[in-house]
Amino acid sequence: MEVETNRFGYDLIRNDVLRDLLGKDHDTILYWIGKSLARKYPVPTVEEMITFFEEANWGTLARIKEKKQEQLFELTGEWMNKSDQRCYQLEAGFLAQQVETWNNCISGATYTEKNGLILIKIETDKKDTIK
């Protein structure tokens, strides 16, 4: 029961409090908070990022495609496809910043919901290096 209680509290803050507090800028701010968190909690490998997501209760992460300038991640969680209405900009921003740090090139992320899971696409501009 403790896990459910913790999830309930987390969901209240994530889905209700933050949305009310941030208003129309909610999604954009969460994306940039995700990037900021990635700078505070850098992870050097995909495997460690997967572990970070599990420990943060953000869900189960898997990289399902990797190309030269694009990576596709799949995020699943037991709460998905139910009454949960969260956006996943926090996770998208976090992933974008980690990939940006790994490649030393500007990276951005977008996500889509499909069949009860979240697909997060990270695009990296290899010509736009970080100085």
Side-chain angles (χ1 to χ4, degrees), residues 46-47 49-50 53 60-66 70-76 95-96 98-99 102 110-112 117-122:
V46 170
E47 293 77 19
M49 189 158 47
I50 290 168
F53 268 66
T60 302
L61 184 70
R63 182 167 58 186
I64 58 174
K65 186 189 292 184
E66 181 179 17
E70 180 183 304
Q71 295 187 47
L72 186 63
F73 290 88
E74 177 183 276
L75 181 63
T76 58
L95 286 169
Q98 295 294 354
V99 171
W102 297 342
T110 56
Y111 78 92
T112 55
L117 54 88
I118 304 301
L119 296 174
I120 302 173
K121 182 164 81 171
I122 312 297

Side-chain angles (χ1 to χ4, degrees), residues 87-119:
C87 83
Y88 291 89
Q89 290 291 72
L90 179 72
E91 294 85 348
F94 187 86
L95 286 169
Q97 185 61 50
Q98 295 294 354
V99 171
E100 185 172 298
T101 300
W102 297 342
N103 294 319
N104 203 35
C105 298
I106 298 297
S107 297
T110 56
Y111 78 92
T112 55
E113 298 179 49
K114 186 175 181 180
N115 300 325
L117 54 88
I118 304 301
L119 296 174

Side-chain angles (χ1 to χ4, degrees), residues 12-28:
L12 277 175
I13 292 169
R14 175 76 184 257
N15 300 339
D16 297 318
V17 173
L18 284 178
R19 194 167 297 281
D20 288 348
L21 182 67
L22 301 175
K24 66 181 176 67
D25 296 321
H26 173 266
D27 293 2
T28 302

Side-chain angles (χ1 to χ4, degrees), residues 39-91:
R39 288 187 290 273
K40 290 178 187 173
Y41 299 95
V43 292
T45 66
V46 170
E47 293 77 19
E48 289 182 57
M49 189 158 47
I50 290 168
T51 300
F52 182 93
F53 268 66
E54 289 172 4
E55 290 176 354
N57 287 321
W58 286 357
T60 302
L61 184 70
R63 182 167 58 186
I64 58 174
K65 186 189 292 184
E66 181 179 17
K67 295 181 178 178
K68 186 176 180 181
Q69 296 192 71
E70 180 183 304
Q71 295 187 47
L72 186 63
F73 290 88
E74 177 183 276
L75 181 63
T76 58
E78 62 190 42
W79 60 89
M80 293 178 186
N81 236 2
K82 295 183 180 164
S83 61
D84 191 80
Q85 298 296 315
R86 78 185 68 199
C87 83
Y88 291 89
Q89 290 291 72
L90 179 72
E91 294 85 348

